[in-house]
């Protein structure tokens, strides 16, 4: 007792002992290396306790003393937080889908299925909310980082006053890790120049294995271990990230278990599946193809899924399907034979990706069981960070990068050229939005649409054998991804901190759903009674069973026209009673105008409270909006050494501008082929290289066309200056500020010169307006990942000439006063 009392006194003196004695858990003898303690947790990191030994003139007359090791409360579970990508409610078998997801089935069978879990309707906003417990605008992620703007709710910066669940659990003694997709690093902080404070290892995750950004080529990903780029796929044909990250997670858990088996873990497992590109292995494509799941088309699929959902009880028996949206998606029986063949292939590859991803998740869960730790592991498995993506458009696409550049209706005859390689490293594929609508059954709409449940309703299963005894139970309480953090903290017995690193913390905005774990509370009223939704101007409010929502005026693939200039007021309101209309099919706004006005006021109050204002309905325009990346304010860039891996968000952007790229090289006597400069890759980008001794500049126009400037003569040994000069004809991205796209994607003339002599010149009738391939980098001296022209070379294609200096100069267009006046007048005329 004396030892325990001395320890408590020491902890109290350091501010660690602030709770009643019964709450503090101390083990071992005071001052001994084996002693452990829980902490109050109000201040992180926890202050070091006062030294409890004695110090005299020499060690023999002194008494050593070690501070106790910080541990979570006794019995705190391991936590496995899983979320897949771009997957709607009707995708997995667990919630009535036709695609087998046995890992999610397993979690549901041993635990609970939640039928009213919600996302934000878009990737990184949902992920920011998930790891902080705050609404996505509160966390700075009103949209994805690549669309960030200079407003608090939209700047893609998770503030230091919003510590993540990883940081909280780490400082309370958990081992924390993150595997897979991280879409919460600001695009302007993703380079090796840092800062790394908003990378996983800077936000409380001690180990990270994954990619930064929204999507990744699963065959050749832009992959990191902590902050170091790695290439585990090199020399390994058929390597795939879905398998690779599961292998790495299993290895990590086994190492942790061998080194410190009593340390609880928090593992955040968020694969890129099933975001485009859909990249499953051939084994899974063959398995799904043999099942013939999609031969009858998307309307029949919808009916099958709803029937399954009713059998499982994951929708009410009176749930109805809304009408098929014939105005934007053709009925199956109107599709041509070639279209049906292509569409079935698209769906089978997507389904294979779903099943493959779930199988790898199952391997991680099995590894936990093999270690004997499954009983006290809380598994939260959320199917999708938003509804199924429709960004492939009505026809699908072999190259998602084409969509982001406004090419969303590639003819079927063009797509059929990629039929045999669909889903392989030769495509960056996405499926028809017809399947996306069906996979969100029983709801309407899809990813990006925050006002309708097809965009925000996710299936979730939760298991914890030691703490949830109602195995196989259903829960219908309203929940949102912001509720996950407070749930984990309650279950772990860890409080939300008041201060982290000396910064006062903003309140957690979610509501714990741990009360639903008790079978006695299976039908208890929801404790999360009000929740706003907003994404790119589309918005809604849930309140006590009612859903007030704006009418959808833009399909997700319609991202390149003028945006609604007044999305707060220039909208049509719809009203649904979700207690009686689970699938949001009966609009009651006309019968209940008073309720509409009441809920509008609540939405406006929530919007002001959580940084939702100012509303912005623009989509593509925000992709090229100015933001504080490393190139901001600069027009000249000089490189004198080889360098690879600079992300698109931190490199000079050659779109919608005039530019001059000059390479000063020395060609050896043996010749000097190789890459001088490249950005992007197989699916969109440019390359400046020497091929067979001749200089080349090449633009890859989303893998559909390649424009090449090439010297006719082989470069002689010695020094040369090679220049590519491009004069852009358009007004530039400045027109987007006026809700006008006329300045982007314009024509221009390129000229290739050697030692001051023109060797090739040609006109580009159009240029890429928005992006290169996001998951590829800006490389000097060699080419990482995929190349811009497989017919010319294969990466890394290192430059064997000596690069003395590479200079990139930008001459960005500036709007004249006359241009501004004209554009402003045109914008006002549209209001």
């Amino acid at each position: 007792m004396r030892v325990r009392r001395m320890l408590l006194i020491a902890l109290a003196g350091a501010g660690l002992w602030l709770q009643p004695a019964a709450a503090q858990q101390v083990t071992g003898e005071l001052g001994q290396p084996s002693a452990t303690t829980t902490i109050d947790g109000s201040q992180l990191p926890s202050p070091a306790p006062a030294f409890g030994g004695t110090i005299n003139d020499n060690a023999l007359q002194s008494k050593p003393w070690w501070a106790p090791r910080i541990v979570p409360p006794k019995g705190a579970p391991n936590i496995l937080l899983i979320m897949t990508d771009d997957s709607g409610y009707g995708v997995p078998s667990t919630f009535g889908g036709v695609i087998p997801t046995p890992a999610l089935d397993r979690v549901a069978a041993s635990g609970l299925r939640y039928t009213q879990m919600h996302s934000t309707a878009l990737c990184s906003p949902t992920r920011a909310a998930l790891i902080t417990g705050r609404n996505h605008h509160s966390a700075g992620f009103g949209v994805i980082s690549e669309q960030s703007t200079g407003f608090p709710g939209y700047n893609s910066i998770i503030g230091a006053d919003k510590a993540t669940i990883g940081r909280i659990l780490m400082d309370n003694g958990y081992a924390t890790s993150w595997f897979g997709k991280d879409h919460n690093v600001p695009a302007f902080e993703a380079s090796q120049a840092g800062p790394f404070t908003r990378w996983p290892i800077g936000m409380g995750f001690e180990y990270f294995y994954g990619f930064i950004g929204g999507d990744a080529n699963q065959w050749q990903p832009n992959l990191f271990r902590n902050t170091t780029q790695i290439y585990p796929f090199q020399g390994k044909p058929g390597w795939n990230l879905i398998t690779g990250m599961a292998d790495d997670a299993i290895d990590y858990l086994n190492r942790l278990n061998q080194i410190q088996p009593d340390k609880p873990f928090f593992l955040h497992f968020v694969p890129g599946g099933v975001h485009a590109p859909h990249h499953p292995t051939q084994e899974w494509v063959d398995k799904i193809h043999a099942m013939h799941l999609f031969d009858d088309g998307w309307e029949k699929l919808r009916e099958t899924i709803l029937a399954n959902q009713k059998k499982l009880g994951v929708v009410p028996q009176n749930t109805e399907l809304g009408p098929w949206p014939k105005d934007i998606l053709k009925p199956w029986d109107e599709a041509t034979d070639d279209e049906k063949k292509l569409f079935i292939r698209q769906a089978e590859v997507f389904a294979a990706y779903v099943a493959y991803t779930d199988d790898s998740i199952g391997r991680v869960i099995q590894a936990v069981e093999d270690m004997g730790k499954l009983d006290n592991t809380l598994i939260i498995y959320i199917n999708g960070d938003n509804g199924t993506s429709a960004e492939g458009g009505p026809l699908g696409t072999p190259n998602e990068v084409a969509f982001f550049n406004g090419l969303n209706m590639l003819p079927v005859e063009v797509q059929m050229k990629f039929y045999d390689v669909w889903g392989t490293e030769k495509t960056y594929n996405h499926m028809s939005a017809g399947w996306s609508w069906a996979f969100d059954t029983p709801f309407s709409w899809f990813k990006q649409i925050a006002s309708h449940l097809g965009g925000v309703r996710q299936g979730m299963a939760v298991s914890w054998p030691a703490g949830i005894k109602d195995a196989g139970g259903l829960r219908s309480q309203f929940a949102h991804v912001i509720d996950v953090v407070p749930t984990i903290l309650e279950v772990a017995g860890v409080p939300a901190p008041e201060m982290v690193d000396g910064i006062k913390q903003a309140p957690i905005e979610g509501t714990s759903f741990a009360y639903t774990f008790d079978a006695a509370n299976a039908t208890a009223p929801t404790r999360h009674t009000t929740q706003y939704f907003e994404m790119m101007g589309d918005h809604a409010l849930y309140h006590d069973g009612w859903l007030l929502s704006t009418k959808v005026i833009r399909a997700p693939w319609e991202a390149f026209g003028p945006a609604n200039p007044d999305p707060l007021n220039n909208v049509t309101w719809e009203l649904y009673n979700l207690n009686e209309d689970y699938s949001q099919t009966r609009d009651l706004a006309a019968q209940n105008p008073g309720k509409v006005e009441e809920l509008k006021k609540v939405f406006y109050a929530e919007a002001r409270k959580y940084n939702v204002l100012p509303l912005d309905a623009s989509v593509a325009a925000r992709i090229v909006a100015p933001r504080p990346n490393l190139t901001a304010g600069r027009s000249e860039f000089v490189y004198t050494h080889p360098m690879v891996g600079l992300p698109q968000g931190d490199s000079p952007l050659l779109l919608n501008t005039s530019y001059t790229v000059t390479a000063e090289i020395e060609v050896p006597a043996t010749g000097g082929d190789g890459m001088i400069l490249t950005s992007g890759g197989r699916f969109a980008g440019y390359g400046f290289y020497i091929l067979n001794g001749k200089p080349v500049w090449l633009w890859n126009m989303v893998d559909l066309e390649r424009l090449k400037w090439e010297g006719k003569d082989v470069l002689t040994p010695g020094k040369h200056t090679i220049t590519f000069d491009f004069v852009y004809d358009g007004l530039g991205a400045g027109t987007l500020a006026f809700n006008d796209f006329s300045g982007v994607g314009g024509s221009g003339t390129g000229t290739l010169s050697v030692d001051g002599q023109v060797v090739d010149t040609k006109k580009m009738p159009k240029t890429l307006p928005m992006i290169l391939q996001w998951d590829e980098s800006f490389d000097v001296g060699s080419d990482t990942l995929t190349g811009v022209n497989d017919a010319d070379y294969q990466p890394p294609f290192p430059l064997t000439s000596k690069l003395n200096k590479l200079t990139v100069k930008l001459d960005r267009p500036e709007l004249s006063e006359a241009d501004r006046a004209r554009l402003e007048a045109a914008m006002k005329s549209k209001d």
Side-chain angles (χ1 to χ4, degrees), residues 36 94 127 137 207 214 313 346 358 373 382 526 546 614 672 694 698 725 744 758 790 805:
T36 68
T94 319
R127 293 161 188 272
H137 293 88
Y207 180 77
Q346 293 171 352
D358 180 82
K373 294 188 173 183
I382 303 172
T526 182
W546 290 92
K694 302 174 183 179
L698 180 139
D725 183 74
V744 300
V758 174
D790 291 338
K805 187 179 182 181

Side-chain angles (χ1 to χ4, degrees), residues 232-246:
F233 46 83
Q234 289 184 343
K236 299 177 182 176
W239 186 96
N240 189 291
L241 179 55
I242 296 298
T243 296
M245 65 175 283

